Amino acid sequence: MSNMFCFQCEQTSGGNGCRNVGVCGKDAVTAVAQDDLTREMIALARMGLANGRTKRADELIVDGLFATVTNVNFDPQAISCLKDEIKAEREGLGGQPFDGPLFEGDTDIVSLRSTLLFGMRGMAAYAHHARILGKVDDEVTGWFYKGLSELANEHSIDEWLGLLMEFGKVNFRCMELLDEANTGAYGNPSPVRVTYNIEKGPFIVVTGHDLHDLYLLLEQTKDKGINIYTHGEMLPAHAYPELHKYPHLKGHFGTAWQNQQKEFKDLPAPVLFTTNCLMPPKDSYKDRVFTTSVVAYPGAVHIIEDENGNKDFSQLIDKAIELGGYPEDKKMTGINGGDVLTTGFAHDAVLSVADKVIDAVKSGAIKHIFLVGGCDGARPGRNYYTEFVKQTPQDSVVLTLACGKFRFNDIDAGEIGGLPRIMDMGQCNDAYSAVKVALALADAFGVGVNDLPLSLVLSWYEQKAVCILLSLLALGVKNIRLGPTLPAFLSPNVLQVLADNFGIKPITTPEEDLKAILG
């Protein structure tokens, strides 16, 4: 077994790459199995382009890519089983294996190839969620075949950059597709206040991103005396009317994903992981961890779906009843001491009051709009985002999304024109909402997006942040500030190209960045 090499996430060891064990907790056996799985997907994609796709191949490629996202699948046996399925599908179509390099070769080419691969891993997560709700798009699915196949081909730097921009536009369509799936199934989100406090009695915590899993669980737990609480990126679920209507969807537990080992330590309830954000569970609560879909961890109970897409959560429900929950109501808060969160400011909600926003900008009541969002993580320095938001002037608005918002979303920053100054637009995929709002404002003012009083200050951690960044660049968005560190897989030359063409720059300090933005 060769040593691993992984540099796909922000916390990668030494800022260069994990070589013996991942900082995320992934061991070398799992890392190598994921690389083998990736090679099998490349081989299947090449076969699909040559001889035609199959529905099963479409599903396997998306789920295989999703399984290799950081903090999703820590089970080498589960990964090997998925690899074997993909291999069998490829052999059934007459395809040949691929044993070429993934992360070896010219530094700049490896950088560009890796960026495309990691972006596709992120897009696969969104495509998976959309498919679960019955939404697929041939352009999106077809691009997985194209992109994976291109990983095996030689390209110039300019050709790689062209592929990345093409991918970014396709990923924007994928985010739009998932938005259509979520709103089609559960309605358009509307602003809602969500408590951090936990009521006494049995409860279940649901984390991740998959709204359909939450819906299935809500259906199976109604009238059973079991309350449901969201965690992490599942917070925006409260804003969807078809989920909010369940009275036992009570509130939100805990903060961002990287705090789970501390926050779950004494939790008298089970936790369902529906997507990524799983950390290796501690002995104190590993018997309460349940996984589903492509998420897996050795020893955790894995809930599978049947041929009709249904899941039986009875083991999870029984565990909740056994543990019993807290004996009394428990008051809890976010990292800044607030006990209420507001979410639900997706594109439909914001655009419904666009006239107020436009009038406020024209009158000078709103002088600047900040989009402060992205993935949270454990690396020191992420308190930058808390301090940045705290220091934004009162005549500005902060839009936010993804789990980075847990650095500041329990702060009461006041209101402008009846609107809260901090507006949570949803999950990481809801960057689509942010772009849609920005485009609408640009159209209203008759300018380009880069001419708006709008600044993007983003945090990144895993591969969904990569595909979102590529979409923003493909749409022509410039002058993005990115942190807390720049991606290790971006070589100095590639980073310089992005800086020259798009103005990407690292964050510095809140004071310096706000001064540079506001003048």
mmCIF file with all atom_site columns, all heavy atoms in Angstrom, residues 212-235:
data_model
loop_
_atom_site.group_PDB
_atom_site.id
_atom_site.type_symbol
_atom_site.label_atom_id
_atom_site.label_alt_id
_atom_site.label_comp_id
_atom_site.label_asym_id
_atom_site.label_entity_id
_atom_site.label_seq_id
_atom_site.pdbx_PDB_ins_code
_atom_site.Cartn_x
_atom_site.Cartn_y
_atom_site.Cartn_z
_atom_site.occupancy
_atom_site.B_iso_or_equiv
_atom_site.pdbx_formal_charge
_atom_site.auth_seq_id
_atom_site.auth_comp_id
_atom_site.auth_asym_id
_atom_site.auth_atom_id
_atom_site.pdbx_PDB_model_num
ATOM 1   N N   . HIS A 1 212 ? -34.446 15.891 1.301  1.00 0.00 ? 212 HIS A N   1
ATOM 2   C CA  . HIS A 1 212 ? -35.346 14.745 1.138  1.00 0.00 ? 212 HIS A CA  1
ATOM 3   C C   . HIS A 1 212 ? -35.218 13.780 2.309  1.00 0.00 ? 212 HIS A C   1
ATOM 4   O O   . HIS A 1 212 ? -36.231 13.246 2.787  1.00 0.00 ? 212 HIS A O   1
ATOM 5   C CB  . HIS A 1 212 ? -35.054 14.028 -0.177 1.00 0.00 ? 212 HIS A CB  1
ATOM 6   C CG  . HIS A 1 212 ? -35.994 12.910 -0.470 1.00 0.00 ? 212 HIS A CG  1
ATOM 7   N ND1 . HIS A 1 212 ? -37.354 13.099 -0.616 1.00 0.00 ? 212 HIS A ND1 1
ATOM 8   C CD2 . HIS A 1 212 ? -35.784 11.574 -0.639 1.00 0.00 ? 212 HIS A CD2 1
ATOM 9   C CE1 . HIS A 1 212 ? -37.941 11.939 -0.872 1.00 0.00 ? 212 HIS A CE1 1
ATOM 10  N NE2 . HIS A 1 212 ? -37.011 10.995 -0.877 1.00 0.00 ? 212 HIS A NE2 1
ATOM 11  N N   . ASP A 1 213 ? -34.007 13.552 2.778  1.00 0.00 ? 213 ASP A N   1
ATOM 12  C CA  . ASP A 1 213 ? -33.820 12.694 3.949  1.00 0.00 ? 213 ASP A CA  1
ATOM 13  C C   . ASP A 1 213 ? -34.534 13.278 5.158  1.00 0.00 ? 213 ASP A C   1
ATOM 14  O O   . ASP A 1 213 ? -35.155 12.552 5.943  1.00 0.00 ? 213 ASP A O   1
ATOM 15  C CB  . ASP A 1 213 ? -32.328 12.516 4.249  1.00 0.00 ? 213 ASP A CB  1
ATOM 16  C CG  . ASP A 1 213 ? -31.654 11.530 3.310  1.00 0.00 ? 213 ASP A CG  1
ATOM 17  O OD1 . ASP A 1 213 ? -32.331 10.616 2.815  1.00 0.00 ? 213 ASP A OD1 1
ATOM 18  O OD2 . ASP A 1 213 ? -30.444 11.679 3.067  1.00 0.00 ? 213 ASP A OD2 1
ATOM 19  N N   . LEU A 1 214 ? -34.432 14.584 5.328  1.00 0.00 ? 214 LEU A N   1
ATOM 20  C CA  . LEU A 1 214 ? -35.126 15.234 6.441  1.00 0.00 ? 214 LEU A CA  1
ATOM 21  C C   . LEU A 1 214 ? -36.628 15.058 6.304  1.00 0.00 ? 214 LEU A C   1
ATOM 22  O O   . LEU A 1 214 ? -37.322 14.750 7.294  1.00 0.00 ? 214 LEU A O   1
ATOM 23  C CB  . LEU A 1 214 ? -34.769 16.721 6.486  1.00 0.00 ? 214 LEU A CB  1
ATOM 24  C CG  . LEU A 1 214 ? -35.500 17.557 7.537  1.00 0.00 ? 214 LEU A CG  1
ATOM 25  C CD1 . LEU A 1 214 ? -35.216 17.043 8.949  1.00 0.00 ? 214 LEU A CD1 1
ATOM 26  C CD2 . LEU A 1 214 ? -35.127 19.027 7.419  1.00 0.00 ? 214 LEU A CD2 1
ATOM 27  N N   . TYR A 1 215 ? -37.134 15.225 5.103  1.00 0.00 ? 215 TYR A N   1
ATOM 28  C CA  . TYR A 1 215 ? -38.571 15.056 4.871  1.00 0.00 ? 215 TYR A CA  1
ATOM 29  C C   . TYR A 1 215 ? -39.018 13.630 5.225  1.00 0.00 ? 215 TYR A C   1
ATOM 30  O O   . TYR A 1 215 ? -40.038 13.442 5.911  1.00 0.00 ? 215 TYR A O   1
ATOM 31  C CB  . TYR A 1 215 ? -38.904 15.363 3.411  1.00 0.00 ? 215 TYR A CB  1
ATOM 32  C CG  . TYR A 1 215 ? -40.271 14.885 2.994  1.00 0.00 ? 215 TYR A CG  1
ATOM 33  C CD1 . TYR A 1 215 ? -41.424 15.563 3.392  1.00 0.00 ? 215 TYR A CD1 1
ATOM 34  C CD2 . TYR A 1 215 ? -40.420 13.734 2.225  1.00 0.00 ? 215 TYR A CD2 1
ATOM 35  C CE1 . TYR A 1 215 ? -42.681 15.106 3.021  1.00 0.00 ? 215 TYR A CE1 1
ATOM 36  C CE2 . TYR A 1 215 ? -41.673 13.268 1.859  1.00 0.00 ? 215 TYR A CE2 1
ATOM 37  C CZ  . TYR A 1 215 ? -42.797 13.963 2.259  1.00 0.00 ? 215 TYR A CZ  1
ATOM 38  O OH  . TYR A 1 215 ? -44.040 13.503 1.900  1.00 0.00 ? 215 TYR A OH  1
ATOM 39  N N   . LEU A 1 216 ? -38.271 12.635 4.766  1.00 0.00 ? 216 LEU A N   1
ATOM 40  C CA  . LEU A 1 216 ? -38.630 11.243 5.066  1.00 0.00 ? 216 LEU A CA  1
ATOM 41  C C   . LEU A 1 216 ? -38.650 11.001 6.576  1.00 0.00 ? 216 LEU A C   1
ATOM 42  O O   . LEU A 1 216 ? -39.538 10.312 7.099  1.00 0.00 ? 216 LEU A O   1
ATOM 43  C CB  . LEU A 1 216 ? -37.646 10.290 4.393  1.00 0.00 ? 216 LEU A CB  1
ATOM 44  C CG  . LEU A 1 216 ? -37.667 10.236 2.856  1.00 0.00 ? 216 LEU A CG  1
ATOM 45  C CD1 . LEU A 1 216 ? -36.556 9.315  2.347  1.00 0.00 ? 216 LEU A CD1 1
ATOM 46  C CD2 . LEU A 1 216 ? -39.020 9.760  2.346  1.00 0.00 ? 216 LEU A CD2 1
ATOM 47  N N   . LEU A 1 217 ? -37.674 11.558 7.276  1.00 0.00 ? 217 LEU A N   1
ATOM 48  C CA  . LEU A 1 217 ? -37.608 11.370 8.724  1.00 0.00 ? 217 LEU A CA  1
ATOM 49  C C   . LEU A 1 217 ? -38.759 12.092 9.421  1.00 0.00 ? 217 LEU A C   1
ATOM 50  O O   . LEU A 1 217 ? -39.352 11.554 10.369 1.00 0.00 ? 217 LEU A O   1
ATOM 51  C CB  . LEU A 1 217 ? -36.263 11.868 9.258  1.00 0.00 ? 217 LEU A CB  1
ATOM 52  C CG  . LEU A 1 217 ? -36.052 11.697 10.762 1.00 0.00 ? 217 LEU A CG  1
ATOM 53  C CD1 . LEU A 1 217 ? -36.101 10.221 11.167 1.00 0.00 ? 217 LEU A CD1 1
ATOM 54  C CD2 . LEU A 1 217 ? -34.725 12.321 11.192 1.00 0.00 ? 217 LEU A CD2 1
ATOM 55  N N   . LEU A 1 218 ? -39.090 13.294 8.975  1.00 0.00 ? 218 LEU A N   1
ATOM 56  C CA  . LEU A 1 218 ? -40.216 14.020 9.562  1.00 0.00 ? 218 LEU A CA  1
ATOM 57  C C   . LEU A 1 218 ? -41.514 13.233 9.404  1.00 0.00 ? 218 LEU A C   1
ATOM 58  O O   . LEU A 1 218 ? -42.334 13.171 10.329 1.00 0.00 ? 218 LEU A O   1
ATOM 59  C CB  . LEU A 1 218 ? -40.351 15.398 8.905  1.00 0.00 ? 218 LEU A CB  1
ATOM 60  C CG  . LEU A 1 218 ? -39.291 16.427 9.294  1.00 0.00 ? 218 LEU A CG  1
ATOM 61  C CD1 . LEU A 1 218 ? -39.355 17.635 8.368  1.00 0.00 ? 218 LEU A CD1 1
ATOM 62  C CD2 . LEU A 1 218 ? -39.448 16.858 10.743 1.00 0.00 ? 218 LEU A CD2 1
ATOM 63  N N   . GLU A 1 219 ? -41.689 12.612 8.245  1.00 0.00 ? 219 GLU A N   1
ATOM 64  C CA  . GLU A 1 219 ? -42.881 11.805 8.015  1.00 0.00 ? 219 GLU A CA  1
ATOM 65  C C   . GLU A 1 219 ? -42.930 10.604 8.955  1.00 0.00 ? 219 GLU A C   1
ATOM 66  O O   . GLU A 1 219 ? -43.977 10.277 9.513  1.00 0.00 ? 219 GLU A O   1
ATOM 67  C CB  . GLU A 1 219 ? -42.903 11.328 6.555  1.00 0.00 ? 219 GLU A CB  1
ATOM 68  C CG  . GLU A 1 219 ? -43.517 12.318 5.592  1.00 0.00 ? 219 GLU A CG  1
ATOM 69  C CD  . GLU A 1 219 ? -45.011 12.466 5.809  1.00 0.00 ? 219 GLU A CD  1
ATOM 70  O OE1 . GLU A 1 219 ? -45.740 11.450 5.731  1.00 0.00 ? 219 GLU A OE1 1
ATOM 71  O OE2 . GLU A 1 219 ? -45.467 13.603 6.093  1.00 0.00 ? 219 GLU A OE2 1
ATOM 72  N N   . GLN A 1 220 ? -41.788 9.961  9.167  1.00 0.00 ? 220 GLN A N   1
ATOM 73  C CA  . GLN A 1 220 ? -41.762 8.751  9.987  1.00 0.00 ? 220 GLN A CA  1
ATOM 74  C C   . GLN A 1 220 ? -41.787 9.024  11.489 1.00 0.00 ? 220 GLN A C   1
ATOM 75  O O   . GLN A 1 220 ? -42.003 8.106  12.278 1.00 0.00 ? 220 GLN A O   1
ATOM 76  C CB  . GLN A 1 220 ? -40.527 7.911  9.624  1.00 0.00 ? 220 GLN A CB  1
ATOM 77  C CG  . GLN A 1 220 ? -40.589 7.314  8.223  1.00 0.00 ? 220 GLN A CG  1
ATOM 78  C CD  . GLN A 1 220 ? -39.388 6.455  7.885  1.00 0.00 ? 220 GLN A CD  1
ATOM 79  O OE1 . GLN A 1 220 ? -38.858 5.738  8.730  1.00 0.00 ? 220 GLN A OE1 1
ATOM 80  N NE2 . GLN A 1 220 ? -38.951 6.515  6.626  1.00 0.00 ? 220 GLN A NE2 1
ATOM 81  N N   . THR A 1 221 ? -41.555 10.269 11.888 1.00 0.00 ? 221 THR A N   1
ATOM 82  C CA  . THR A 1 221 ? -41.535 10.588 13.321 1.00 0.00 ? 221 THR A CA  1
ATOM 83  C C   . THR A 1 221 ? -42.743 11.403 13.772 1.00 0.00 ? 221 THR A C   1
ATOM 84  O O   . THR A 1 221 ? -42.869 11.680 14.975 1.00 0.00 ? 221 THR A O   1
ATOM 85  C CB  . THR A 1 221 ? -40.249 11.363 13.683 1.00 0.00 ? 221 THR A CB  1
ATOM 86  O OG1 . THR A 1 221 ? -40.093 12.471 12.783 1.00 0.00 ? 221 THR A OG1 1
ATOM 87  C CG2 . THR A 1 221 ? -39.031 10.470 13.600 1.00 0.00 ? 221 THR A CG2 1
ATOM 88  N N   . LYS A 1 222 ? -43.615 11.786 12.870 1.00 0.00 ? 222 LYS A N   1
ATOM 89  C CA  . LYS A 1 222 ? -44.758 12.592 13.298 1.00 0.00 ? 222 LYS A CA  1
ATOM 90  C C   . LYS A 1 222 ? -45.653 11.764 14.232 1.00 0.00 ? 222 LYS A C   1
ATOM 91  O O   . LYS A 1 222 ? -45.835 10.565 14.043 1.00 0.00 ? 222 LYS A O   1
ATOM 92  C CB  . LYS A 1 222 ? -45.534 13.115 12.094 1.00 0.00 ? 222 LYS A CB  1
ATOM 93  C CG  . LYS A 1 222 ? -46.158 12.076 11.187 1.00 0.00 ? 222 LYS A CG  1
ATOM 94  C CD  . LYS A 1 222 ? -46.799 12.762 9.989  1.00 0.00 ? 222 LYS A CD  1
ATOM 95  C CE  . LYS A 1 222 ? -47.442 11.749 9.048  1.00 0.00 ? 222 LYS A CE  1
ATOM 96  N NZ  . LYS A 1 222 ? -48.015 12.404 7.845  1.00 0.00 ? 222 LYS A NZ  1
ATOM 97  N N   . ASP A 1 223 ? -46.154 12.445 15.243 1.00 0.00 ? 223 ASP A N   1
ATOM 98  C CA  . ASP A 1 223 ? -47.039 11.839 16.253 1.00 0.00 ? 223 ASP A CA  1
ATOM 99  C C   . ASP A 1 223 ? -46.355 10.750 17.081 1.00 0.00 ? 223 ASP A C   1
ATOM 100 O O   . ASP A 1 223 ? -47.027 9.915  17.684 1.00 0.00 ? 223 ASP A O   1
ATOM 101 C CB  . ASP A 1 223 ? -48.296 11.256 15.577 1.00 0.00 ? 223 ASP A CB  1
ATOM 102 C CG  . ASP A 1 223 ? -49.068 12.306 14.798 1.00 0.00 ? 223 ASP A CG  1
ATOM 103 O OD1 . ASP A 1 223 ? -49.146 13.453 15.273 1.00 0.00 ? 223 ASP A OD1 1
ATOM 104 O OD2 . ASP A 1 223 ? -49.584 11.979 13.705 1.00 0.00 ? 223 ASP A OD2 1
ATOM 105 N N   . LYS A 1 224 ? -45.006 10.755 17.115 1.00 0.00 ? 224 LYS A N   1
ATOM 106 C CA  . LYS A 1 224 ? -44.298 9.757  17.926 1.00 0.00 ? 224 LYS A CA  1
ATOM 107 C C   . LYS A 1 224 ? -43.666 10.365 19.175 1.00 0.00 ? 224 LYS A C   1
ATOM 108 O O   . LYS A 1 224 ? -42.974 9.678  19.925 1.00 0.00 ? 224 LYS A O   1
ATOM 109 C CB  . LYS A 1 224 ? -43.206 9.074  17.085 1.00 0.00 ? 224 LYS A CB  1
ATOM 110 C CG  . LYS A 1 224 ? -43.740 8.141  16.004 1.00 0.00 ? 224 LYS A CG  1
ATOM 111 C CD  . LYS A 1 224 ? -42.613 7.408  15.302 1.00 0.00 ? 224 LYS A CD  1
ATOM 112 C CE  . LYS A 1 224 ? -43.129 6.481  14.202 1.00 0.00 ? 224 LYS A CE  1
ATOM 113 N NZ  . LYS A 1 224 ? -43.891 5.355  14.740 1.00 0.00 ? 224 LYS A NZ  1
ATOM 114 N N   . GLY A 1 225 ? -43.873 11.674 19.378 1.00 0.00 ? 225 GLY A N   1
ATOM 115 C CA  . GLY A 1 225 ? -43.293 12.311 20.554 1.00 0.00 ? 225 GLY A CA  1
ATOM 116 C C   . GLY A 1 225 ? -41.799 12.521 20.441 1.00 0.00 ? 225 GLY A C   1
ATOM 117 O O   . GLY A 1 225 ? -41.107 12.665 21.463 1.00 0.00 ? 225 GLY A O   1
ATOM 118 N N   . ILE A 1 226 ? -41.279 12.524 19.213 1.00 0.00 ? 226 ILE A N   1
ATOM 119 C CA  . ILE A 1 226 ? -39.849 12.734 18.976 1.00 0.00 ? 226 ILE A CA  1
ATOM 120 C C   . ILE A 1 226 ? -39.676 14.048 18.215 1.00 0.00 ? 226 ILE A C   1
ATOM 121 O O   . ILE A 1 226 ? -40.282 14.241 17.155 1.00 0.00 ? 226 ILE A O   1
ATOM 122 C CB  . ILE A 1 226 ? -39.236 11.578 18.164 1.00 0.00 ? 226 ILE A CB  1
ATOM 123 C CG1 . ILE A 1 226 ? -39.360 10.269 18.930 1.00 0.00 ? 226 ILE A CG1 1
ATOM 124 C CG2 . ILE A 1 226 ? -37.771 11.868 17.819 1.00 0.00 ? 226 ILE A CG2 1
ATOM 125 C CD1 . ILE A 1 226 ? -38.937 9.049  18.130 1.00 0.00 ? 226 ILE A CD1 1
ATOM 126 N N   . ASN A 1 227 ? -38.864 14.945 18.739 1.00 0.00 ? 227 ASN A N   1
ATOM 127 C CA  . ASN A 1 227 ? -38.598 16.204 18.058 1.00 0.00 ? 227 ASN A CA  1
ATOM 128 C C   . ASN A 1 227 ? -37.388 16.085 17.150 1.00 0.00 ? 227 ASN A C   1
ATOM 129 O O   . ASN A 1 227 ? -36.492 15.265 17.396 1.00 0.00 ? 227 ASN A O   1
ATOM 130 C CB  . ASN A 1 227 ? -38.369 17.328 19.080 1.00 0.00 ? 227 ASN A CB  1
ATOM 131 C CG  . ASN A 1 227 ? -39.640 17.682 19.816 1.00 0.00 ? 227 ASN A CG  1
ATOM 132 O OD1 . ASN A 1 227 ? -40.737 17.585 19.272 1.00 0.00 ? 227 ASN A OD1 1
ATOM 133 N ND2 . ASN A 1 227 ? -39.509 18.082 21.080 1.00 0.00 ? 227 ASN A ND2 1
ATOM 134 N N   . ILE A 1 228 ? -37.360 16.907 16.114 1.00 0.00 ? 228 ILE A N   1
ATOM 135 C CA  . ILE A 1 228 ? -36.269 16.913 15.148 1.00 0.00 ? 228 ILE A CA  1
ATOM 136 C C   . ILE A 1 228 ? -35.586 18.274 15.196 1.00 0.00 ? 228 ILE A C   1
ATOM 137 O O   . ILE A 1 228 ? -36.243 19.317 15.178 1.00 0.00 ? 228 ILE A O   1
ATOM 138 C CB  . ILE A 1 228 ? -36.775 16.637 13.717 1.00 0.00 ? 228 ILE A CB  1
ATOM 139 C CG1 . ILE A 1 228 ? -37.605 15.344 13.677 1.00 0.00 ? 228 ILE A CG1 1
ATOM 140 C CG2 . ILE A 1 228 ? -35.603 16.573 12.741 1.00 0.00 ? 228 ILE A CG2 1
ATOM 141 C CD1 . ILE A 1 228 ? -36.841 14.091 14.049 1.00 0.00 ? 228 ILE A CD1 1
ATOM 142 N N   . TYR A 1 229 ? -34.256 18.243 15.242 1.00 0.00 ? 229 TYR A N   1
ATOM 143 C CA  . TYR A 1 229 ? -33.459 19.468 15.226 1.00 0.00 ? 229 TYR A CA  1
ATOM 144 C C   . TYR A 1 229 ? -32.446 19.385 14.082 1.00 0.00 ? 229 TYR A C   1
ATOM 145 O O   . TYR A 1 229 ? -31.846 18.332 13.849 1.00 0.00 ? 229 TYR A O   1
ATOM 146 C CB  . TYR A 1 229 ? -32.717 19.664 16.551 1.00 0.00 ? 229 TYR A CB  1
ATOM 147 C CG  . TYR A 1 229 ? -33.660 19.952 17.691 1.00 0.00 ? 229 TYR A CG  1
ATOM 148 C CD1 . TYR A 1 229 ? -34.260 18.900 18.397 1.00 0.00 ? 229 TYR A CD1 1
ATOM 149 C CD2 . TYR A 1 229 ? -33.982 21.252 18.049 1.00 0.00 ? 229 TYR A CD2 1
ATOM 150 C CE1 . TYR A 1 229 ? -35.144 19.149 19.437 1.00 0.00 ? 229 TYR A CE1 1
ATOM 151 C CE2 . TYR A 1 229 ? -34.873 21.509 19.088 1.00 0.00 ? 229 TYR A CE2 1
ATOM 152 C CZ  . TYR A 1 229 ? -35.452 20.458 19.773 1.00 0.00 ? 229 TYR A CZ  1
ATOM 153 O OH  . TYR A 1 229 ? -36.336 20.711 20.780 1.00 0.00 ? 229 TYR A OH  1
ATOM 154 N N   . THR A 1 230 ? -32.281 20.492 13.388 1.00 0.00 ? 230 THR A N   1
ATOM 155 C CA  . THR A 1 230 ? -31.279 20.537 12.326 1.00 0.00 ? 230 THR A CA  1
ATOM 156 C C   . THR A 1 230 ? -29.904 20.828 12.932 1.00 0.00 ? 230 THR A C   1
ATOM 157 O O   . THR A 1 230 ? -29.774 21.263 14.074 1.00 0.00 ? 230 THR A O   1
ATOM 158 C CB  . THR A 1 230 ? -31.627 21.616 11.289 1.00 0.00 ? 230 THR A CB  1
ATOM 159 O OG1 . THR A 1 230 ? -31.781 22.886 11.959 1.00 0.00 ? 230 THR A OG1 1
ATOM 160 C CG2 . THR A 1 230 ? -32.909 21.273 10.564 1.00 0.00 ? 230 THR A CG2 1
ATOM 161 N N   . HIS A 1 231 ? -28.886 20.582 12.141 1.00 0.00 ? 231 HIS A N   1
ATOM 162 C CA  . HIS A 1 231 ? -27.507 20.876 12.538 1.00 0.00 ? 231 HIS A CA  1
ATOM 163 C C   . HIS A 1 231 ? -26.751 21.319 11.283 1.00 0.00 ? 231 HIS A C   1
ATOM 164 O O   . HIS A 1 231 ? -26.997 20.826 10.181 1.00 0.00 ? 231 HIS A O   1
ATOM 165 C CB  . HIS A 1 231 ? -26.845 19.631 13.141 1.00 0.00 ? 231 HIS A CB  1
ATOM 166 C CG  . HIS A 1 231 ? -25.368 19.788 13.396 1.00 0.00 ? 231 HIS A CG  1
ATOM 167 N ND1 . HIS A 1 231 ? -24.415 19.409 12.473 1.00 0.00 ? 231 HIS A ND1 1
ATOM 168 C CD2 . HIS A 1 231 ? -24.684 20.284 14.463 1.00 0.00 ? 231 HIS A CD2 1
ATOM 169 C CE1 . HIS A 1 231 ? -23.210 19.669 12.967 1.00 0.00 ? 231 HIS A CE1 1
ATOM 170 N NE2 . HIS A 1 231 ? -23.345 20.188 14.163 1.00 0.00 ? 231 HIS A NE2 1
ATOM 171 N N   . GLY A 1 232 ? -25.834 22.258 11.450 1.00 0.00 ? 232 GLY A N   1
ATOM 172 C CA  . GLY A 1 232 ? -24.985 22.669 10.339 1.00 0.00 ? 232 GLY A CA  1
ATOM 173 C C   . GLY A 1 232 ? -25.769 23.195 9.156  1.00 0.00 ? 232 GLY A C   1
ATOM 174 O O   . GLY A 1 232 ? -26.673 24.019 9.283  1.00 0.00 ? 232 GLY A O   1
ATOM 175 N N   . GLU A 1 233 ? -25.419 22.691 7.969  1.00 0.00 ? 233 GLU A N   1
ATOM 176 C CA  . GLU A 1 233 ? -26.006 23.171 6.715  1.00 0.00 ? 233 GLU A CA  1
ATOM 177 C C   . GLU A 1 233 ? -27.484 22.815 6.557  1.00 0.00 ? 233 GLU A C   1
ATOM 178 O O   . GLU A 1 233 ? -28.115 23.230 5.589  1.00 0.00 ? 233 GLU A O   1
ATOM 179 C CB  . GLU A 1 233 ? -25.220 22.607 5.534  1.00 0.00 ? 233 GLU A CB  1
ATOM 180 C CG  . GLU A 1 233 ? -23.926 23.336 5.260  1.00 0.00 ? 233 GLU A CG  1
ATOM 181 C CD  . GLU A 1 233 ? -24.137 24.498 4.316  1.00 0.00 ? 233 GLU A CD  1
ATOM 182 O OE1 . GLU A 1 233 ? -24.869 25.444 4.683  1.00 0.00 ? 233 GLU A OE1 1
ATOM 183 O OE2 . GLU A 1 233 ? -23.569 24.463 3.218  1.00 0.00 ? 233 GLU A OE2 1
ATOM 184 N N   . MET A 1 234 ? -28.038 22.064 7.482  1.00 0.00 ? 234 MET A N   1
ATOM 185 C CA  . MET A 1 234 ? -29.461 21.745 7.398  1.00 0.00 ? 234 MET A CA  1
ATOM 186 C C   . MET A 1 234 ? -30.329 22.870 7.964  1.00 0.00 ? 234 MET A C   1
ATOM 187 O O   . MET A 1 234 ? -31.558 22.848 7.810  1.00 0.00 ? 234 MET A O   1
ATOM 188 C CB  . MET A 1 234 ? -29.752 20.439 8.139  1.00 0.00 ? 234 MET A CB  1
ATOM 189 C CG  . MET A 1 234 ? -31.040 19.756 7.724  1.00 0.00 ? 234 MET A CG  1
ATOM 190 S SD  . MET A 1 234 ? -31.101 19.250 6.001  1.00 0.00 ? 234 MET A SD  1
ATOM 191 C CE  . MET A 1 234 ? -30.283 17.656 6.114  1.00 0.00 ? 234 MET A CE  1
ATOM 192 N N   . LEU A 1 235 ? -29.725 23.877 8.576  1.00 0.00 ? 235 LEU A N   1
ATOM 193 C CA  . LEU A 1 235 ? -30.492 24.983 9.152  1.00 0.00 ? 235 LEU A CA  1
ATOM 194 C C   . LEU A 1 235 ? -31.508 25.581 8.175  1.00 0.00 ? 235 LEU A C   1
ATOM 195 O O   . LEU A 1 235 ? -32.671 25.816 8.556  1.00 0.00 ? 235 LEU A O   1
ATOM 196 C CB  . LEU A 1 235 ? -29.528 26.078 9.648  1.00 0.00 ? 235 LEU A CB  1
ATOM 197 C CG  . LEU A 1 235 ? -30.158 27.428 10.023 1.00 0.00 ? 235 LEU A CG  1
ATOM 198 C CD1 . LEU A 1 235 ? -31.100 27.279 11.205 1.00 0.00 ? 235 LEU A CD1 1
ATOM 199 C CD2 . LEU A 1 235 ? -29.068 28.468 10.315 1.00 0.00 ? 235 LEU A CD2 1
#
